[in-house]
Amino acid sequence: MNHLTPAKVLAAVLTLTLAPLLAPAVARAADAAQMEANKKVVQQLYDAVLNQKDFDKASQFLGPRYTQHNPNAADGPEGLKGFIGFLKEKFPNNHSEIKRIFADGDYVIVHVHAVREPGTRGNAIIDIFKLENGKVVEHWDVVQPIPEKAANSNGMF
Amino acid sequence: MNHLTPAKVLAAVLTLTLAPLLAPAVARAADAAQMEANKKVVQQLYDAVLNQKDFDKASQFLGPRYTQHNPNAADGPEGLKGFIGFLKEKFPNNHSEIKRIFADGDYVIVHVHAVREPGTRGNAIIDIFKLENGKVVEHWDVVQPIPEKAANSNGMF
């Protein structure tokens, strides 16, 4: 009942040939999908913190830790909560716009124009976020006020 | 003379099956290789400019343009030459260390600790470079002095 027909042989050969050839491609496609998902998580976290100023919403995108490297912010989710409270009180109209977003492995990088008071030049910021299991667990950034005059006409973005 | 043997049929089926399945994987592998090459180019450019302060060496890694978004630097390769001259004259001991490097598509991002005078805290910098055909054609950065005291104990890197 279990004849080795040419079709069965062909199926076996195809399976044995394709599986090892396609495994790295499948892994790479999964990595690419995870990186795109990570970008979306960072975009949502950024908007929840800087624009909506909503800690409960923001906390959905955080993992079990939030290791903070911004020297002006306290560590952890509680530090983020404090920062959002500060923004709501001092700069309720703060608006931060992501100009560019990149992903590499577990990291997402955003280049941002942040304006704390409408009508001011604001800051150029680049943030780096580390993600684990699709949630943000660590944050670094660098912040620079946009100067009135520049040595070139290209703008900071 | 041209018999359709089972072996020939199998070879034809394998070729027709594998080619379309592997094409995206091959393209993705090529992208990954280009991104790794781009990282190496940026590392070499960075070292040539900030540490070796050697414009001739640096210019090997530049494309036909060098669009500058750092507001303190003049545009183009000539602007970079002027910046290197400034470093050599004012901060000959400047040392910049790349702490993290990322690549996404045509872009390479570096997180850097730059110390202009040995023994000082220095600056935290994140640079974004755009590459075309394996050469650097555009540059953005954000620079922040590392403060003496911080609200957390994690450091800026």
Side-chain angles (χ1 to χ4, degrees):
Chain A
M1 293 296 127
N2 194 16
H3 300 300
L4 264 185
T5 62
K8 281 182 183 168
V9 171
L10 181 58
V13 168
L14 281 178
T15 304
L16 288 169
T17 312
L18 288 177
L21 282 168
L22 289 180
V26 169
R28 234 181 250 121
D31 286 350
Q34 183 64 59
M35 286 194 271
E36 284 308 306
N38 284 351
K39 283 183 185 178
K40 289 209 175 72
V41 164
V42 167
Q43 284 169 321
Q44 289 173 286
L45 172 66
Y46 219 92
D47 194 51
V49 173
L50 279 306
N51 298 328
Q52 299 177 53
K53 305 165 187 74
D54 181 339
F55 176 71
D56 288 341
K57 192 161 194 179
S59 61
Q60 298 172 33
F61 308 109
L62 299 182
R65 65 183 173 101
Y66 184 61
T67 304
Q68 180 61 264
H69 296 269
N70 178 315
N72 298 312
D75 203 20
E78 283 304 308
L80 186 63
K81 192 173 186 175
F83 172 69
I84 291 174
F86 158 82
L87 270 187
K88 283 173 89 161
E89 188 187 329
K90 300 286 185 186
F91 302 104
N93 296 314
N94 179 84
H95 186 80
S96 295
E97 185 190 352
I98 295 176
K99 299 284 192 178
R100 287 177 187 82
I101 186 162
F102 308 102
D104 185 351
D106 293 333
Y107 296 84
V108 172
I109 303 102
V110 290
H111 193 189
V112 174
H113 184 198
V115 177
R116 287 195 158 178
E117 309 229 36
T120 61
R121 284 188 299 278
N123 289 320
I125 302 178
I126 302 178
D127 300 87
I128 301 170
F129 295 92
K130 185 175 186 186
L131 290 92
E132 287 172 5
N133 303 314
K135 302 282 187 177
V136 174
V137 297
E138 195 158 3
H139 171 250
W140 301 257
D141 64 3
V142 178
V143 180
Q144 182 180 351
I146 297 175
E148 187 180 352
K149 293 180 180 174
N152 61 66
S153 58
N154 301 319
M156 282 190 78
F157 296 102
Chain B
M1 294 298 127
N2 194 15
H3 300 302
L4 265 183
T5 62
K8 282 183 182 169
V9 171
L10 180 59
V13 168
L14 281 178
T15 303
L16 289 170
T17 312
L18 287 176
L21 281 168
L22 289 180
V26 169
R28 231 180 254 121
D31 287 350
Q34 183 63 63
M35 286 193 272
E36 283 309 306
N38 285 350
K39 283 183 184 176
K40 289 209 174 72
V41 165
V42 167
Q43 284 168 322
Q44 289 173 286
L45 172 67
Y46 219 93
D47 194 51
V49 172
L50 279 305
N51 298 329
Q52 299 176 54
K53 306 168 187 73
D54 181 338
F55 176 71
D56 288 342
K57 191 161 194 181
S59 61
Q60 298 171 32
F61 307 109
L62 299 182
R65 65 183 173 97
Y66 184 62
T67 304
Q68 179 61 265
H69 295 269
N70 178 315
N72 298 313
D75 204 21
E78 283 304 308
L80 186 65
K81 193 173 184 174
F83 172 69
I84 291 174
F86 157 82
L87 270 187
K88 282 172 87 160
E89 189 187 328
K90 300 286 186 187
F91 302 104
N93 296 316
N94 179 84
H95 186 80
S96 295
E97 186 191 350
I98 296 176
K99 298 286 192 177
R100 287 177 186 83
I101 186 163
F102 308 103
D104 184 353
D106 294 332
Y107 295 85
V108 172
I109 302 102
V110 290
H111 193 188
V112 174
H113 184 200
V115 176
R116 288 194 158 178
E117 310 230 37
T120 62
R121 284 188 299 278
N123 290 318
I125 302 178
I126 302 177
D127 299 88
I128 300 170
F129 295 92
K130 186 176 186 185
L131 291 93
E132 287 173 3
N133 303 313
K135 302 282 185 176
V136 174
V137 296
E138 195 158 3
H139 171 250
W140 300 257
D141 65 2
V142 178
V143 180
Q144 181 179 350
I146 297 174
E148 188 180 352
K149 292 182 181 174
N152 59 68
S153 59
N154 301 319
M156 283 190 79
F157 297 102

